[in-house]
Amino acid sequence: MSVIARQPTPPALYRTGVTHVLPPTPGSPYATAPRGAGPNSYAPAAPAPKGHKGPLILLLSGVVLCVLAAVIVVAFAGYMTRFDHDPRPVDANGSTRVQLDSTVTYGLYGNGDSQCSVTAADGTEATLATPWSNTTVNGHLLFATVEAGISGEYTVTCTTSVAGEDVYFGPAIGAQDVGRSVFLVFAAVCMFIVGVPLTIGGIIWLVVRNSHNRRALQAQAAYPTAGTRL
């Protein structure tokens, strides 16, 4: 008589056609670690504050250029005060007393081929020189420059060969003065053109940078471990 051993019926959980996976129990070698507990896990990254070096350099560069331009404008205004007054007429065939400053260069103007001398009260003559360029003020040609060694009262004595022509005396305005004035104006304008946009750009950049840093600090306060490796 033969005996046939019957296999036990598998539990319903493992019957053919049905797939069920039971979660591993704690302590099992197949158990997974909780999220964020692994050695290579990171917390959410928060934005880091940025420095102010770039915005400050841009802002200070613009401010320096604007200040230099303002200084040039003030210097130009002071320089032009030398020429506030038009040359005044002196006797074209005679003598006229004038007050001279040793720090100022004066000029004799006229169109009548005049010959003049400038003498101090003690007989010392001021230095007269022929200008190297043709300069005209109010239609009168500068024909001589005058420099006094000592400030004080001087006598201008002139003789004019053309009848009816006058002689004028006042601060000398030469080509160098005109060129210097043009250069100062050009330099001031250029500095303002460059300095104003740099200043505005630096201010805008600084405001944006401060706003970014404020948000970054708020994010770090909300997530103190943000961006750090656990």
Side-chain angles (χ1 to χ4, degrees):
M1 181 177 178
S2 61
V3 178
I4 301 175
R6 298 181 62 185
Q7 297 293 333
T9 302
L13 186 61
Y14 298 100
R15 291 177 181 175
T16 304
V18 180
T19 302
H20 295 276
V21 179
L22 295 176
T25 58
S28 169
Y30 302 103
T32 58
R35 179 176 297 179
N40 296 323
S41 60
Y42 291 87
K50 298 181 180 180
H52 296 83
K53 183 178 180 180
L56 288 178
I57 290 177
L58 188 66
L59 176 60
L60 291 178
S61 299
V63 170
V64 169
L65 287 176
C66 290
V67 170
L68 288 177
V71 171
I72 290 176
V73 170
V74 173
F76 174 75
Y79 178 75
M80 291 305 296
T81 56
R82 295 175 51 192
F83 314 111
D84 282 347
H85 306 288
D86 293 334
R88 67 186 184 91
V90 295
D91 195 341
N93 289 283
S95 299
T96 306
R97 291 183 178 181
V98 294
Q99 287 288 335
L100 301 186
D101 186 343
S102 61
T103 62
V104 178
T105 299
Y106 298 89
L108 287 164
Y109 302 85
N111 302 317
D113 193 19
S114 302
Q115 300 294 326
C116 298
S117 64
V118 181
T119 309
D122 61 357
T124 304
E125 291 191 359
T127 303
L128 272 67
T130 301
W132 58 274
S133 62
N134 293 329
T135 303
T136 301
V137 177
N138 295 335
H140 306 295
L141 179 67
L142 175 67
F143 64 85
T145 59
V146 181
E147 292 184 355
I150 301 175
S151 300
E153 186 179 80
Y154 286 73
T155 301
V156 178
T157 303
C158 298
T159 57
T160 304
S161 59
V162 178
E165 288 292 341
D166 296 324
V167 176
Y168 296 84
F169 182 84
I173 302 176
Q176 290 182 339
D177 298 309
V178 176
R180 189 178 295 111
S181 301
V182 172
F183 172 77
L184 290 176
V185 172
F186 179 77
V189 170
C190 289
M191 287 184 179
F192 271 124
I193 290 176
V194 177
V196 171
L198 288 180
T199 303
I200 296 175
I203 293 174
I204 294 175
W205 191 3
L206 191 60
V207 171
V208 173
R209 179 60 53 84
N210 287 335
S211 177
H212 167 83
N213 289 347
R214 184 167 54 253
R215 292 194 301 269
L217 293 176
Q218 291 174 351
Q220 289 183 354
Y223 303 97
T225 59
T228 59
R229 188 168 181 171
L230 299 177

